[in-house]
Amino acid sequence: EVQLLESGGDLVQPGGSLRLSCAVSGFTFRNYAMSWVRQAPGKGLEWVSSISASGAGTYYRDSVKGRFTISRDNSKDTLYLQMNSLRPEDTAVYYCAKWTPYSSGHYLGYWGQGTLVTVSS
Amino acid sequence: DIQMTQSPSSLSASVGDRVTITCRASQGISNHLAWFQQKPGKAPQPLIYGASSLQSGVPSKFSGSGSGTDFTLTISTLQPGDSATYYCQQYTSYPHTFGQGTKVEIK
């Protein structure tokens, strides 16, 4: 059974840093691209970042470029999101998600339960 | 960036009704579109991928169609458990944008 378990969410002051982790099980982690998606309170879903299976390719939304870093440790079956220079607008539940390949692409086929990040003074 | 526009933003329908939600992309995305269902306090769950392929384990009352810029999600016979917010997402190019969501309520 595929499982994704996020951790690391917390209350942090503006300008602060936080590292989120997503521990996975039930599949061969090193073979799959992964993503982070967030959802601000009462708002819709927002793609944040993705990383290729090897970790060589990383992608970010413009509003987090230069502040957030996605990474993975394939020996530990864990995905990370290092968040620096946090802003109140980064307040959200952060979900990690696994890409599921099919014949002509791949989609977010499995999601964790999310971890809450609150940026406030 | 590709903008995804869903309509309506919300709807109220009766048990047994057929419900259709539309998603329009600001440029062509082939069939690189997924639909998700999200209930309050829960993670999104995939329903449809590749615009029309049903996720394993999802009831066949859910169906998707479309290609290029215009897509639809149809719930053939609405049940109380279908009360949720539904999102489309394009994954043809980064950023992988979501629609704003459609909240489905039961009358």
Side-chain angles (χ1 to χ4, degrees):
Chain A
E1 179 190 5
V2 172
Q3 292 192 341
L4 301 93
L5 183 63
E6 302 94 336
S7 61
D10 204 348
L11 170 64
V12 61
Q13 292 190 340
S17 297
L18 212 54
R19 187 177 83 158
L20 305 183
S21 300
C22 174
V24 311
S25 61
F27 65 100
T28 305
F29 180 64
R30 65 178 180 272
N31 290 343
Y32 295 91
M34 300 288 294
S35 289
W36 289 97
V37 175
R38 68 185 180 185
Q39 186 169 37
K43 301 298 185 182
L45 301 170
E46 185 174 79
W47 172 82
V48 175
S49 181
S50 294
I51 187 168
S52 64
S54 68
T58 57
Y59 311 87
Y60 300 92
R61 67 179 302 105
D62 284 348
S63 61
V64 308
K65 277 180 187 174
R67 300 189 299 123
F68 290 11
T69 302
I70 190 172
S71 63
R72 61 192 298 158
D73 187 335
N74 286 344
S75 69
K76 295 183 177 179
D77 291 348
T78 303
L79 175 72
Y80 302 101
L81 186 67
Q82 177 67 43
M83 303 186 295
N84 299 330
S85 302
L86 282 161
R87 304 167 180 169
E89 56 264 36
D90 296 318
T91 295
V93 173
Y94 284 73
Y95 297 100
C96 71
K98 168 188 175 289
W99 286 103
T100 299
Y102 64 102
S103 59
S104 58
H106 54 186
Y107 68 104
L108 296 176
Y110 293 91
W111 296 59
Q113 288 307 299
T115 187
L116 177 61
V117 173
T118 303
V119 184
S120 175
S121 55
Chain B
D1 296 1
I2 299 174
Q3 308 303 315
M4 305 299 293
T5 304
Q6 285 182 235
S7 61
S9 297
S10 65
L11 66 90
S12 181
S14 299
V15 171
D17 281 355
R18 180 183 181 91
V19 168
T20 298
I21 299 168
T22 66
C23 179
R24 175 164 288 176
S26 61
Q27 62 190 97
I29 60 170
S30 184
N31 66 344
H32 296 154
L33 184 104
W35 289 96
F36 299 91
Q37 178 193 65
Q38 187 180 33
K39 296 184 177 181
K42 299 295 187 181
Q45 296 296 317
L47 298 174
I48 301 287
Y49 64 92
S52 61
S53 296
L54 194 65
Q55 170 79 356
S56 177
V58 172
S60 59
K61 65 178 179 178
F62 292 96
S63 63
S65 65
S67 184
T69 60
D70 294 313
F71 303 86
T72 61
L73 173 71
T74 299
I75 309 172
S76 61
T77 308
L78 194 67
Q79 295 297 314
D82 300 329
S83 178
T85 301
Y86 294 82
Y87 296 91
C88 61
Q89 185 203 21
Q90 68 81 18
Y91 47 87
T92 202
S93 67
Y94 288 109
H96 289 172
T97 40
F98 288 88
Q100 80 277 18
T102 295
K103 187 173 184 179
V104 174
E105 295 179 327
I106 310 297
K107 281 182 184 174

